[in-house]
Amino acid sequence: MGDNNAKNQVFDVSVNVLQRGNSKFFDDDGRPKRTGSVWTASAHIITAVIGSGVLALAWAIAQLGWIAGPAVMLLFSFVTYYTSTLLAACYRSGDPVNGKRNYTYMDAVRSNLGGVKVKICGVAQYLNLFGVAIGYTIASSISMMAIKRSNCFHSSGGKNPCRMNSNPYMIAFGIIEIIFSQIPDFDQLWWLSILAAVMSFTYSSIGLGLGIAQTAENGTIKGSLTGISIGTVTQTQKIWKSFQALGDIAFAYSYSMILIEIQDTIRSPPSESKTMKRASLVSVVVTTIFYMLCGCMGYAAFGDMSPGNLLTGFGFYNPYWLLDIANAAIVIHLVGAYQVYSQPLFAFIEKQAASTYPDSQFINKDIKVPIPGFRPYNLNLFRLVWRTVFVIITTVISMVLPFFNDVAALLGALGFWPLTVYFPVEMYIAQKKIPRWSTRWVCLQTLSMVCLMISIAATVGSIAGVVEDLKSYKPFQTTY
């Protein structure tokens, strides 16, 4: 009798999932219908990729020069697009249209590779996402201060150095993120991503325009074929800074750690992998054009003296109101980018907590909060507490280590090769059953090894940057 009841329950669940898969409200896995498209996926990617790092590309090209700088940028755009197409094919296991869905990057690694590689992937992915959240907190505070300083500098006629502490601005950014972190999941972030993508184009365009105007004012194109010259820096510094520049460009393109999570928001048909490949192509082409324009025009304008941040490095001169708009756009963009990078980490912790404590009402129960004119908001107490604590931790670390951009670059250097290249290549080889030592296998492994060497070089350069920062470091007392 008990066996019959169990069989009936399994049958009922199977029928329920099947009915849901055939309905207009649910997908084939019984989850609510996904609504993402090429454009929402592209917005998520552009929000993640065109971070404020675009403003450091003039500095990166200044280290490498007119030949190597643009060449490295094109190389990374190709590698990123190619490996993202390999990764997109891993969203479903087996059949690319009807196979089992892998909801996260770790799920894809578990389905295709398994074993200890799943844990290695998880550590690399979530540590990287955590580091990015801290880096974005610092970057946003610098842009907020740039607005304040540009107005102060303008009103004093350039007489006041307008130095200020970054802590209040980091706290303000943290409060904003606590509010936005209560958006339950990726699928409901589309509007914030589109707004953030528009903002990224706004400040990139202003940076580009200022570069063009400065070049026209100079009457000449600055820079050299081999980059910053020995004498301006020592030979050792030239090597370290070139390594850091490689890292800056490599990480400017890196979005693989959230690709599967973005793909899980896409509706089908057509197959999710087909849509994701198109979104990746659109995003990589758009970002490469912007990167080339901003980086090259910034270098043409300032040559060896290219600032680390195009809009805050020289950013409180004129026209000050235009620089205020650009820096406000950076802050709005980083509010969205912080969420795009944090949502996979939020989802992972919440899923682990729910599976570990399935009977806990604190973790699993949603409270309906009525909102006049809108659908009720599902308030989850665990989500409220844990996400708030996460934002507080990232804000405090940013205040303790306000040069954490170098540490975030270090985390990025450690995460670039495994997440952007190694795992996509290994999963593709396993999925397609590519024979060892075949031409295709050798080409894929060569790509992986070259990117590993670049990642190691970038790591060394980042460590050198951190060591340099520590020489003049005072906790909680950093001013700009």
Side-chain angles (χ1 to χ4, degrees):
M1 185 73 176
D3 284 350
N4 283 339
N5 282 340
K7 284 177 183 174
N8 287 338
Q9 283 177 339
V10 170
F11 177 74
D12 288 344
V13 169
S14 302
V15 168
N16 189 28
V17 169
L18 195 61
Q19 287 172 339
R20 283 182 161 198
N22 290 330
S23 84
K24 62 180 179 181
F25 299 112
F26 297 96
D27 274 326
D28 54 2
D29 58 348
R31 294 193 176 189
K33 204 81 172 171
R34 292 160 177 83
T35 58
S37 63
V38 169
W39 301 114
T40 61
S42 297
H44 283 316
I45 295 169
I46 290 169
T47 299
V49 176
I50 303 188
S52 56
V54 66
L55 303 170
L57 290 175
W59 180 89
I61 292 180
Q63 312 314 308
L64 299 171
W66 279 120
I67 296 175
V72 168
M73 225 178 265
L74 288 172
L75 172 69
F76 277 108
S77 67
F78 169 75
V79 169
T80 302
Y81 172 66
Y82 179 67
T83 56
S84 70
T85 62
L86 303 185
L87 190 54
C90 299
Y91 174 65
R92 287 187 184 263
S93 299
D95 186 79
V97 178
N98 301 309
K100 183 180 89 64
R101 293 172 186 264
N102 296 307
Y103 301 115
T104 65
Y105 199 131
M106 276 181 76
D107 288 344
V109 174
R110 188 177 289 111
S111 297
N112 290 283
L113 301 174
V116 72
K117 289 180 179 177
V118 180
K119 289 184 179 175
I120 294 170
C121 167
V123 170
Q125 182 186 12
Y126 295 122
L127 194 59
N128 207 341
L129 296 176
F130 182 68
V132 167
I134 295 167
Y136 280 178
T137 303
I138 297 164
S140 67
S141 72
I142 291 170
S143 283
M144 287 185 212
M145 285 189 295
I147 296 171
K148 178 85 172 169
R149 288 173 73 189
S150 75
N151 292 322
C152 162
F153 199 76
H154 179 74
S155 61
S156 70
K159 293 171 185 172
N160 187 342
C162 305
R163 298 189 69 78
M164 60 193 69
N165 192 295
S166 58
N167 291 344
Y169 300 93
M170 292 185 189
I171 292 168
F173 184 78
I175 291 168
I176 293 166
E177 290 304 342
I178 286 173
I179 296 166
F180 279 109
S181 68
Q182 296 310 310
I183 296 173
D185 56 46
F186 233 138
D187 207 24
Q188 295 172 38
L189 266 182
W190 62 269
W191 63 272
L192 188 57
S193 277
I194 289 172
L195 175 64
V198 170
M199 291 298 109
S200 68
F201 287 127
T202 301
Y203 67 72
S204 297
S205 300
I206 292 172
L208 172 61
L210 289 168
I212 293 171
Q214 186 68 43
T215 304
E217 189 180 316
N218 295 341
T220 182
I221 292 176
K222 293 190 175 183
S224 65
L225 296 181
T226 55
I228 194 165
S229 51
I230 306 293
T232 308
V233 292
T234 65
Q235 194 161 1
T236 308
Q237 285 175 324
K238 169 83 173 172
I239 293 168
W240 293 143
K241 288 177 185 293
S242 295
F243 284 169
Q244 277 183 299
L246 282 178
D248 279 345
I249 295 170
F251 315 133
Y253 280 103
S254 185
Y255 64 93
S256 298
M257 72 284 290
I258 54 172
L259 185 143
I260 297 286
E261 284 82 353
I262 292 173
Q263 196 166 342
D264 192 44
T265 67
I266 293 172
R267 62 172 175 258
S268 62
S271 71
E272 297 86 356
S273 63
K274 191 176 286 186
T275 303
M276 195 65 194
K277 285 173 185 175
R278 284 177 60 201
S280 291
L281 181 61
V282 169
S283 306
V284 170
V285 168
V286 168
T287 53
T288 301
I289 291 169
F290 260 78
Y291 283 180
M292 288 292 240
L293 288 171
C294 289
C296 292
M297 287 314 303
Y299 183 41
F302 296 99
D304 284 359
M305 304 309 293
S306 294
N309 184 321
L310 206 55
L311 292 177
T312 60
F314 70 99
F316 42 96
Y317 300 125
N318 289 311
Y320 79 101
W321 56 268
L322 185 61
L323 290 152
D324 287 354
I325 292 170
N327 281 297
I330 292 174
V331 175
I332 295 168
H333 171 254
L334 290 175
V335 168
Y338 184 105
Q339 290 303 317
V340 168
Y341 273 101
S342 299
Q343 283 289 341
L345 182 52
F346 292 160
F348 172 72
I349 296 294
E350 285 153 25
K351 183 181 173 187
Q352 291 295 110
S355 61
T356 307
Y357 304 102
D359 299 324
S360 168
Q361 290 209 342
F362 174 70
I363 292 173
N364 298 298
K365 186 180 178 183
D366 284 348
I367 301 166
K368 299 273 185 193
V369 179
I371 303 173
F374 295 93
R375 286 186 300 177
Y377 174 74
N378 290 327
L379 176 67
N380 179 286
L381 292 177
F382 176 69
R383 183 172 69 222
L384 176 66
V385 172
W386 128 250
R387 293 189 183 189
T388 301
V389 168
F390 172 86
V391 175
I392 290 170
I393 290 170
T394 58
T395 305
V396 170
I397 293 175
S398 302
M399 290 160 64
V400 173
L401 303 173
F403 55 84
F404 202 86
N405 278 340
D406 285 324
V407 181
L410 176 60
L411 291 171
L414 297 172
F416 167 71
W417 173 70
L419 296 171
T420 302
V421 183
Y422 174 75
F423 284 119
V425 164
E426 291 299 313
M427 286 193 285
Y428 183 75
I429 289 171
Q431 199 178 52
K432 300 296 182 186
K433 298 180 172 58
I434 298 171
R436 187 181 283 263
W437 301 115
S438 65
T439 305
R440 203 173 187 189
W441 185 90
V442 169
C443 289
L444 287 167
Q445 294 295 353
T446 302
L447 172 68
S448 185
M449 285 299 103
V450 169
C451 290
L452 172 60
M453 298 308 294
I454 290 168
S455 216
I456 290 170
T459 302
V460 171
S462 299
I463 291 171
V466 172
V467 170
E468 192 64 32
D469 282 329
L470 284 169
K471 289 178 182 175
S472 58
Y473 168 60
K474 291 180 182 176
F476 291 108
Q477 293 180 24
T478 300
T479 57
Y480 292 87

